[in-house]
Amino acid sequence: QLSHVQLPLMLSHVHKHIDKPHQLRNHYLIVRHGESTANVQHLIVTNPAIGCVKFGLTEKGKMQAVMATRDIQRIIKRHNFALQNVYIYHSDFKRTTETAQIIHERLFDGDDDYRTHLCADALLRERGFGALDSNDGTVHYQRIWE
């Protein structure tokens, strides 16, 4: 068990071996999807047959995506990132697609030249729940944790 004194010392040692952000070639931001209708209902939706077509964002989730865009814009400006080098990768689930589309639309102001900067990929899907993935989108998380 680490004491409150040991942890800062360990972190300072680790930071000596990590490149500074300005020395790195690529930069990555990770954004969680906005609140979805499945989140509100406490439903597990990891089956692509369900998640890719149902359970999009709530109004609150859409606003969260807008707020995330503002944060991303501040980061881009602060670090002087070139917008032409910014790409948005997301899973093909409806909730992540809608989040990514909102961010993309606002970040690139609808400029058609950047349409290829929005990239859906099934490899970015969330964890699976094995046999429980076969549900129709009506299984609650509470059942998983029991």
Side-chain angles (χ1 to χ4, degrees), residues 34-101:
E35 179 186 76
S36 72
T37 55
N39 295 142
V40 171
Q41 298 172 50
H42 306 287
L43 296 176
I44 297 171
V45 181
T46 57
N47 181 344
I50 305 293
C52 291
V53 295
K54 291 177 68 176
F55 301 108
L57 297 180
T58 63
E59 288 305 313
K60 179 180 177 181
K62 292 174 184 176
M63 286 307 302
Q64 290 170 332
V66 169
M67 296 303 291
T69 306
R70 291 178 186 158
D71 291 338
I72 292 167
Q73 288 169 324
R74 281 193 284 274
I75 291 168
I76 288 170
K77 183 176 181 179
R78 180 173 52 232
H79 295 286
N80 200 29
F81 295 147
L83 202 54
Q84 68 266 19
N85 295 329
V86 175
Y87 287 80
I88 300 169
Y89 291 88
H90 61 94
S91 84
D92 54 352
F93 273 45
K94 188 172 183 174
R95 58 187 171 242
T96 57
T97 298
E98 289 180 0
T99 301
Q101 287 171 338

